[in-house]
Amino acid sequence: MSTLDPSLFKQRNFVHFWIGQIASSFGFQMLSVGIGWQVYDLTDSALALGLVGLFQFLPHLLLTLVVGHVADRYNRRIICFCTRLTMALTVSVLAFGNLTDTISVNMIYTCAVMLGIARAFEMPASQAILPNLVSAKDLSKAVSAIASAREISVIVGPALGGLIYLLGASTLYFTSTACFIVSCAIMALLKYDYIAKEKAPINLTHLLGGLRFIKHNKIIFGAVSMDMFAVLLGGATALLPIVAKDILHTGPWGLGLLRCAPAVGALLMSIYLARSPLQHSVGKIMYAAVALFGVSTIIFGLSEHLWLSLIALFVLGATDMISVVIRSTLVQLETPDDMRGRVSAANSIFIGSSNQLGEFESGVTAALFGTVPAIVIGGIGTIGIVGIWMYLFPSLLKRSSLEVEPKEP
């Protein structure tokens, strides 16, 4: 923690929340490795692997309006506690299924749906609670610190999960369960001054409040939509196995390096931003970061050398993290507390949709034009989005700081 802003880690509430996020994220990252490997082992089907992701994403999509309302209406700490307890119980079912040799792909699919439901409620609550734990001036540093924890889990979690899986699937699932239980215990200790909200009538207007707020706030809408289209067009994650095998002529170890490179870049950038938060010209910096994301994508697409591809992916991850921190901080700053749950839920759909559709878009364009043209076209498209968004959202371009700014008349 010494590499991050020490003042944050003198705040007990934030420390508890930060550790809880790490434990939960580690549990999920290890779990993803176990489920993916076991589903493929049981079915020998790539489609079955895709269905696991679909079964986790669909509840998130279908429950968007409900989960945002719940995060705004009820105690966010209790929501996080209950969702992580649900995840612990769900993963324990997989563990006992392996112990009793009753595990099946249908059982895994059912558990994937339950995990999707739990994460759908957890994400807006955990995002919306952060501004209640730190001051506005510390918010961007806190967002960066949380992002650092997430990237550490993305880098270390799958590798650790793979090693634990060698001891048996049930061992991995019990380890993941333990991580979720630790996160539950930490959330129970969190000191969160919950103020009961006035019970506004539940109607479609109220439930759609998050989407309507984003649509009418040019700063948030510009940041969220630009990030969505950048990832939709420029994301090349789905094509990494093809790049590793057919273009770079490397093995699984090379694919592992390619998958880690963006996370390493994102981690180092998040640590830097936690220690040295952006203070000036944040709008211009965000546009520049997304443009560089596009340039890095093009270089990656054209590269025929592993070292150059790793550098391009490293820069891609670092620039994406700049965009993530700016976007996340602006969303939290610009949103009233009684709407943060609904806005966070709507924002998470933008993010989730871009990742899922981005993989689909990459696959379709690769099938039509080839892998290299698909990646390069995506990078060029991202740069084009930056130019269009600079014209459509000048208020985002003019945004000066990651602090509350007076509203324009």
Side-chain angles (χ1 to χ4, degrees):
M1 291 187 295
S2 61
T3 58
L4 300 175
D5 191 325
S7 65
L8 278 176
F9 295 96
K10 294 178 182 177
Q11 303 177 37
R12 181 174 298 179
N13 275 349
F14 177 77
V15 171
H16 284 167
F17 182 73
W18 190 76
I19 295 175
Q21 292 293 100
I22 289 178
S24 177
S25 187
F26 259 92
F28 185 76
Q29 292 297 328
M30 290 191 292
L31 172 65
S32 297
V33 170
I35 287 180
W37 186 273
Q38 190 159 49
V39 166
Y40 193 69
D41 188 49
L42 290 171
T43 66
D44 198 28
S45 168
L47 177 60
L49 288 173
L51 287 175
V52 173
L54 181 64
F55 286 139
Q56 291 187 66
F57 177 71
L58 282 180
H60 195 167
L61 179 64
L62 297 175
L63 293 171
T64 300
L65 301 181
V66 176
V67 299
H69 163 75
V70 170
D72 283 335
R73 174 76 56 101
Y74 301 102
N75 191 315
R76 293 161 183 167
R77 179 181 66 86
I78 294 178
I79 295 171
C80 291
F81 175 86
C82 292
T83 54
R84 290 169 190 178
L85 180 60
T86 299
M87 286 189 272
L89 293 174
T90 300
V91 180
S92 68
V93 170
L94 295 176
F96 283 108
N98 278 276
L99 279 179
T100 58
D101 200 27
T102 57
I103 193 72
S104 68
V105 68
N106 288 331
M107 178 187 292
I108 296 175
Y109 286 158
T110 302
C111 289
V113 172
M114 290 302 300
L115 289 168
I117 293 172
R119 282 173 61 81
F121 281 92
E122 179 205 25
M123 289 181 67
S126 62
Q127 291 173 9
I129 199 175
L130 185 57
N132 302 130
L133 303 178
V134 299
S135 64
K137 68 181 180 64
D138 287 334
L139 184 58
S140 66
K141 293 183 287 186
V143 169
S144 298
I146 295 297
S148 298
R150 181 176 63 249
E151 297 303 330
I152 289 172
S153 70
V154 170
I155 295 170
V156 180
L160 185 60
L163 291 175
I164 296 176
Y165 195 91
L166 296 176
L167 302 176
S170 58
T171 303
L172 173 62
Y173 292 138
F174 276 127
T175 304
S176 178
T177 300
C179 288
F180 287 124
I181 291 175
V182 168
S183 184
C184 286
I186 292 173
M187 291 306 297
L189 297 174
L190 185 69
K191 302 297 182 182
Y192 167 49
D193 295 328
Y194 169 68
I195 301 176
K197 309 294 191 304
E198 182 180 348
K199 303 299 182 183
I202 302 175
N203 50 45
L204 189 59
T205 300
H206 176 77
L207 294 177
L208 290 171
L211 290 170
R212 292 173 61 248
F213 182 85
I214 289 178
K215 178 183 176 183
H216 293 295
N217 187 301
K218 295 297 184 182
I219 296 286
I220 294 181
F221 188 41
V224 169
S225 59
M226 180 169 64
D227 183 83
M228 181 187 75
F229 281 107
V231 175
L232 179 65
L233 295 174
T237 304
L239 303 179
L240 287 182
I242 302 175
V243 172
K245 182 179 180 180
D246 297 337
I247 297 176
L248 301 179
H249 305 292
T250 184
W253 63 273
L255 176 59
L257 290 177
L258 292 174
R259 288 194 176 277
C260 285
V264 172
L267 172 62
L268 294 180
M269 180 56 70
S270 65
I271 292 175
Y272 172 78
L273 293 176
R275 289 189 59 85
S276 305
L278 301 171
Q279 297 179 345
H280 305 289
S281 305
V282 296
K284 295 178 182 177
I285 291 174
M286 181 172 187
Y287 278 110
V290 176
L292 189 53
F293 178 93
V295 172
S296 301
T297 301
I298 294 172
I299 294 174
F300 172 70
L302 296 175
S303 172
E304 296 181 354
H305 302 282
L306 179 60
W307 62 268
L308 180 58
S309 297
L310 291 174
I311 292 174
L313 289 174
F314 177 90
V315 175
L316 184 148
T319 53
D320 184 52
M321 179 54 63
I322 295 174
S323 174
V324 166
V325 169
I326 294 175
R327 184 197 70 238
S328 300
T329 305
L330 288 176
V331 168
Q332 301 293 8
L333 281 177
E334 295 284 325
T335 307
D337 185 66
D338 62 350
M339 291 191 67
R340 283 195 176 115
R342 283 169 288 165
V343 172
S344 294
N347 182 36
S348 66
I349 285 299
F350 276 90
I351 298 169
S353 297
S354 66
N355 290 330
Q356 299 291 331
L357 292 178
E359 293 185 2
F360 176 72
E361 179 270 340
S362 296
V364 170
T365 53
L368 292 175
F369 307 111
T371 301
V372 171
I375 297 173
V376 173
I377 289 171
I380 294 173
T382 297
I383 297 173
I385 288 293
V386 172
I388 296 172
W389 258 238
M390 289 176 68
Y391 173 77
L392 294 177
F393 299 95
S395 56
L396 176 59
L397 182 63
K398 297 175 183 176
R399 181 74 185 209
S400 175
S401 67
L402 289 178
E403 296 178 0
V404 178
E405 294 185 349
K407 302 294 182 183
E408 293 183 4

